[in-house]
Amino acid sequence: MKKNIFLLAFFLAALSVSAFAAQPPVKGGTLPDFTLSTKNSAERGYLGVGSGPFRISNIKSSLVVIEVYSMYCPYCQKEAPNMNQLYNKIESDPALKGRIKIIGIGAGNSQLEVDTYRQRYKVPFPLFPDKEYEVHDLLGQPRTPFFIVVKLQPGGKEKVVSTQLGAYDSPDQFLDTVLRPALKEGK
């Protein structure tokens, strides 16, 4: 009898821990704290970070678009040209350039897989490997592609202004309904 009670208590404790596992960030919430790093000087320049590990709050920008993707995800592959187009629209618009940065985090992808994806889809923005799913786990293990838009605030705070599972309708729709309003918010 005591053994059954112990097993039941153990099972309920394990169930309650999984119930409190990380959930994907939500609008109005904060981004979990994690670090990234790149040795690529062009990527560091684009992000405005120094050498060594950095946090999202260290990126010199008003907004950061984080795409959680996998090179093996067919939806991510299909979305790659749209993300490239979004990047090009931002970088060619003087009112947006420098105020919005885009990064990708390759869930379960090694550096080789990230580099292969970057080359195959000609991705112009920084991509980071997350081979051991460390960042992916912190972000609540979202399916891919998953987009998080973060507004950087004074004092190193990051406010999540938008999240979405799956593709946006178009780069223009993403700019007009999510990014431009988020830039104006709090002015």
Side-chain angles (χ1 to χ4, degrees):
M1 179 72 165
K2 286 184 180 180
K3 184 178 180 182
N4 288 343
I5 292 173
F6 174 76
L7 288 174
L8 179 62
F10 178 78
F11 176 74
L12 290 174
L15 205 71
S16 68
V17 168
S18 67
F20 293 106
Q23 297 296 314
V26 295
K27 183 177 180 177
T30 57
L31 191 69
D33 188 34
F34 58 89
T35 59
L36 301 168
S37 66
T38 180
K39 295 179 182 177
N40 183 305
S41 61
E43 289 180 351
R44 288 195 317 266
Y46 167 73
L47 297 173
V49 298
S51 60
F54 63 91
R55 290 177 163 75
I56 297 298
S57 61
N58 300 130
I59 295 173
K60 303 297 184 245
S61 181
S62 298
L63 294 177
V64 177
V65 177
I66 303 167
E67 177 187 16
V68 181
Y69 75 98
S70 171
M71 78 168 283
Y72 301 104
C73 165
Y75 303 106
C76 302
Q77 295 167 9
K78 184 178 177 186
E79 188 62 10
N82 288 333
M83 289 303 294
N84 294 347
Q85 188 178 8
L86 176 65
Y87 170 86
N88 290 328
K89 285 180 176 289
I90 291 167
E91 291 299 296
S92 66
D93 185 334
L96 301 177
K97 184 176 181 170
R99 297 182 67 202
I100 303 172
K101 302 293 181 180
I102 303 174
I103 66 168
I105 298 174
N109 294 167
S110 67
Q111 185 65 57
L112 176 63
E113 290 166 318
V114 164
D115 292 342
T116 300
Y117 186 87
R118 179 189 340 269
Q119 290 172 342
R120 180 174 294 149
Y121 298 103
K122 298 176 180 25
V123 177
F125 52 87
L127 300 177
F128 299 92
D130 185 25
K131 184 177 180 178
E132 302 301 325
Y133 294 99
E134 293 169 356
V135 175
H136 185 254
D137 287 348
L138 286 172
L139 296 175
Q141 303 174 347
R143 293 180 296 162
T144 57
F146 189 75
F147 298 92
I148 307 166
V149 179
V150 179
K151 184 165 188 141
L152 302 181
Q153 312 219 326
K157 302 286 183 193
E158 304 108 357
K159 179 183 175 187
V160 176
V161 295
S162 176
T163 62
Q164 179 165 318
L165 174 61
Y168 284 88
D169 290 338
S170 71
D172 288 327
Q173 180 262 338
F174 193 11
L175 274 170
D176 293 340
T177 63
V178 177
L179 300 179
R180 284 191 174 103
L183 281 174
K184 292 177 184 175
E185 182 181 293
K187 277 190 168 183

